[in-house]
Amino acid sequence: MPAMKTADLIITNASELVTMAGRKRPRQREDMAHISAIAEGAVAVGDGKILACGRTPDILARYVQRKGKPLDARGKTVIPGFVDPHTHLVFSGSRESEFVMKLEGKSYMEILAAGGGIQRTVRATRAASERELLRSAMARLDRMLLHGTTTVEGKSGYGLDLDTEMRSLIVLEMADQRHPVDVVRTFLGAHAVPPEYQGRPDDYIDFIIKTALPEAARLKLAEFCDVFCEEGVFTVAQSRRLLQAAKKLGLRPKLHADEIVRTRGAELAAELGAISADHLLKSSKEGLQRMKESGVIGVLLPGTPFSLMQKEYPDARMMVSMGLPLALATDLNPNCMTESMPFIMALACYNMKLTPSEALTAATINAACAIGREGSVGSLEPGKKADIAILDAPNHLHIPYHFGVNLVETVIKDGQIVVKNGARVAKV
């Protein structure tokens, strides 16, 4: 009989253990529904990594927990920690008054033209100290963690000047160092045209290319560069010029693409070999096909049309059928105030007709692919980070089915229990 191996933590008796095991690449078509579920599942964890997954009797025949008793997940569902690949994590202030304007029928662009929207948040963020920005970002990460998210992408973009953009990226770096949630950084200096450049978007793009982008690259503050490619914001030509400059500095391109009108942002993402194009509400089928052929992941943000009270959502079923790999994200920002990936999964199912299995794939392994982290997170496989969420639900179907409540009971980050019984575990 082989000698027993030791583990730091063993989770046993899961009603359903969703591993998402498979090739480390974005899942497409029918593969988006293959979640590699194990009944009566167990996970062995050691040194912050996944050691093994399998049926409970098999894992207990091979592993013994070094101290204490295994964590019994009887009647519960165990999944990889959620990965949120599109958030605007750092900002100051709030815009709840604009919620009333939206109820009165004002469009996003009308609110922006009236001095609201992004520009209102820019004013508040510029006025905020580094300490204030860090405190609010950490609070948002706390809420994300409580809802099972263990890795997020965070963007700058509410500074639109050199000092505040760099301060926002530094805050993201500090949050990554101080919070259990891993934070992946994106430079989004081209989120809007700031007041001092009003009517001169080309000059502002020049400023970003010549000053802000090189500084972010020099200080190694960002891994990705994003741009709001949209009518009335930045054109395809301006976006192309910026992202080509970013690529030369070693930052991988991302795009806000075709959110409000069809700008051919999807085609630009394919042309540049972007890691992802996000929103895609108005993208053409030709643009989506080019994205698929170029290996660009489509990140869908159903919270955005929901918060804008729109009836139209991206055609996710068409995208799945054509083979475009999809990810889901919260788009957390002052206009879409949610930190809950389970809520986003529910919206994806109810309003975009993804199945629960497809939505869970999009919120874990495909989301990890959208930020270049598929080798370390997004699935429960030997050697990957032990980032795990345990839900008070008998199977993954309950995540979108039982909406409006937080089903996450326990969260394990890098092998450590950081949420227990729905509450943060105090640092020792």
Side-chain angles (χ1 to χ4, degrees), residues 254-288:
K254 283 180 167 286
L255 278 90
H256 284 57
D258 305 319
E259 176 186 356
I260 300 169
V261 299
R262 183 175 297 173
T263 62
R264 295 181 66 82
E267 287 87 341
L268 179 62
E271 173 192 328
L272 295 174
I275 190 169
S276 76
D278 305 10
H279 284 295
L280 307 178
L281 178 61
K282 300 291 185 177
S283 295
S284 68
K285 191 168 184 179
E286 178 188 8
L288 297 172

Side-chain angles (χ1 to χ4, degrees), residues 48 83 107 115 145 181 196 230 244 247 306 359 375 388 420 425:
V83 178
S107 71
L145 188 64
V181 173
E196 54 268 30
E230 187 57 65
Q244 286 176 336
K247 286 182 72 173
F306 177 83
I388 305 167
K420 188 174 183 180
V425 174

Side-chain angles (χ1 to χ4, degrees), residues 144-401:
M144 290 176 168
L145 188 64
L146 290 172
H147 286 83
T149 297
T150 50
T151 302
V152 306
E153 180 261 18
K155 305 177 191 292
S156 68
Y158 288 115
L160 310 185
D161 61 17
L162 182 61
D163 289 346
T164 318
E165 284 296 305
M166 296 306 107
R167 184 161 73 246
S168 297
L169 291 171
I170 289 168
V171 165
L172 288 167
E173 183 180 43
M174 294 170 67
D176 180 46
Q177 293 169 350
R178 300 183 186 189
H179 200 280
V181 173
D182 290 329
V183 180
V184 177
R185 302 187 298 278
T186 296
F187 173 70
L188 180 58
H191 196 192
V193 179
E196 54 268 30
Y197 282 91
Q198 202 60 44
R200 299 185 294 128
D202 282 315
D203 290 344
Y204 181 57
I205 292 294
D206 286 340
F207 158 75
I208 296 175
I209 291 174
K210 294 176 182 178
T211 305
L213 194 56
E215 186 70 356
R218 183 182 71 83
L219 296 173
K220 298 181 179 179
L221 290 175
E223 183 176 340
F224 301 100
C225 181
D226 200 346
V227 57
F228 192 3
C229 182
E230 187 57 65
E231 185 178 84
V233 192
F234 297 105
T235 65
V236 165
Q238 291 161 347
S239 301
R240 178 186 292 110
R241 191 156 61 93
L242 171 61
L243 294 177
Q244 286 176 336
K247 286 182 72 173
K248 290 179 181 178
L249 291 170
L251 276 68
R252 300 181 70 180
K254 283 180 167 286
L255 278 90
H256 284 57
D258 305 319
E259 176 186 356
I260 300 169
V261 299
R262 183 175 297 173
T263 62
R264 295 181 66 82
E267 287 87 341
L268 179 62
E271 173 192 328
L272 295 174
I275 190 169
S276 76
D278 305 10
H279 284 295
L280 307 178
L281 178 61
K282 300 291 185 177
S283 295
S284 68
K285 191 168 184 179
E286 178 188 8
L288 297 172
Q289 179 67 29
R290 290 187 185 180
M291 281 176 53
K292 188 198 90 167
E293 293 169 356
S294 298
V296 183
I297 298 167
V299 178
L300 303 186
L301 313 168
T304 307
F306 177 83
S307 65
L308 291 172
M309 304 177 194
Q310 297 172 339
K311 293 182 180 179
E312 185 182 5
Y313 283 73
D315 190 348
R317 286 262 50 93
M318 180 266 288
M319 295 178 190
V320 171
S321 67
M322 70 185 295
L324 181 67
L326 297 180
L328 290 172
T330 60
D331 195 19
L332 167 66
N333 71 76
N335 187 58
C336 181
M337 286 290 283
T338 181
E339 293 94 339
S340 172
M341 284 295 284
F343 174 64
I344 294 302
M345 282 183 59
L347 289 179
C349 293
Y350 283 96
N351 293 328
M352 299 194 305
K353 302 301 185 287
L354 289 183
T355 67
S357 297
E358 291 169 337
L360 187 54
T361 296
T364 53
I365 187 60
N366 275 14
C369 292
I371 54 174
R373 294 296 189 274
E374 64 273 21
S376 58
V377 299
S379 63
L380 303 180
E381 298 179 85
K384 282 195 169 186
K385 289 189 174 190
D387 291 359
I388 305 167
I390 303 176
L391 285 68
D392 185 14
N395 53 61
H396 74 283
L397 302 177
H398 276 251
I399 302 174
Y401 167 70

